[in-house]
Amino acid sequence: MATINEVFPPKPTWSVDEIPDLTGQVIIVTGGNTGLGKLTVEALLNHNAKVYLAARSQSKASEAIQDLFNKTGNKAISWLKLDLADLQSIKAAVTEFTSKENHLHVLFNNAGVMLPDIKDLTAQGYDLQFGTNVLGE
């Protein structure tokens, strides 16, 4: 049974303005091209992190990266091609990332799917929600 604080969370006691300087920190945000993922990337860029925006679509990622640059003035952001519904895409993303970076300081597992059609499957034939949110993340 959920507690009242889980149903109606209290007001936060901190804000993104309190994030410390993240210079030198390498961070990946999955699904960083929209929604909470994009807001997360924006906050990280505002605090000088080097961010890899992981997303399936290059056009959507490029649009988000340009928008985030316009908002933050920070160019420390790159697109990392990643489709969490395809294990081969995940392997390719890891290979690409490790060819560029020696460390990953933070991974924000933000991307996922919710309530897809029961017939929807990953590239390897798993249920789409399980394959993306469990195997992919």
Side-chain angles (χ1 to χ4, degrees):
M1 181 68 69
T3 67
I4 193 73
N5 282 342
E6 290 171 334
V7 177
F8 300 103
K11 187 175 182 177
T13 58
W14 57 273
S15 77
V16 294
D17 297 330
E18 297 176 61
I19 295 172
D21 181 47
L22 298 172
T23 300
Q25 299 293 297
V26 178
I27 300 172
I28 294 174
V29 180
T30 66
N33 60 301
T34 188
L36 291 175
K38 188 175 177 184
L39 290 172
T40 300
V41 173
E42 183 177 347
L44 296 170
L45 290 172
N46 280 328
H47 291 88
N48 304 311
K50 182 176 184 181
V51 180
Y52 285 83
L53 187 154
R56 292 176 297 201
S57 166
Q58 183 174 10
S59 62
K60 290 179 182 178
S62 295
E63 185 179 312
I65 288 169
Q66 184 60 50
D67 182 52
L68 289 161
F69 171 71
N70 292 342
K71 288 180 178 178
T72 67
N74 193 331
K75 285 190 176 188
I77 183 171
S78 299
W79 175 52
L80 182 63
K81 182 178 183 179
L82 176 65
D83 181 352
L84 293 170
D86 183 354
L87 297 175
Q88 293 302 317
S89 171
I90 296 167
K91 184 176 181 179
V94 169
T95 299
E96 180 184 346
F97 178 80
T98 56
S99 74
K100 296 176 181 178
E101 300 292 341
N102 294 322
H103 292 89
L104 174 63
H105 298 95
V106 179
L107 169 62
F108 283 94
N109 283 325
N110 170 73
V113 296
M114 190 166 93
L115 302 173
D117 190 289
I118 193 73
K119 297 174 192 166
D120 292 343
L121 303 175
T122 67
Q124 286 73 34
Y126 296 101
D127 167 76
L128 184 62
Q129 187 163 328
F130 175 78
T132 301
N133 299 352
V134 176
L135 299 177
E137 288 279 0

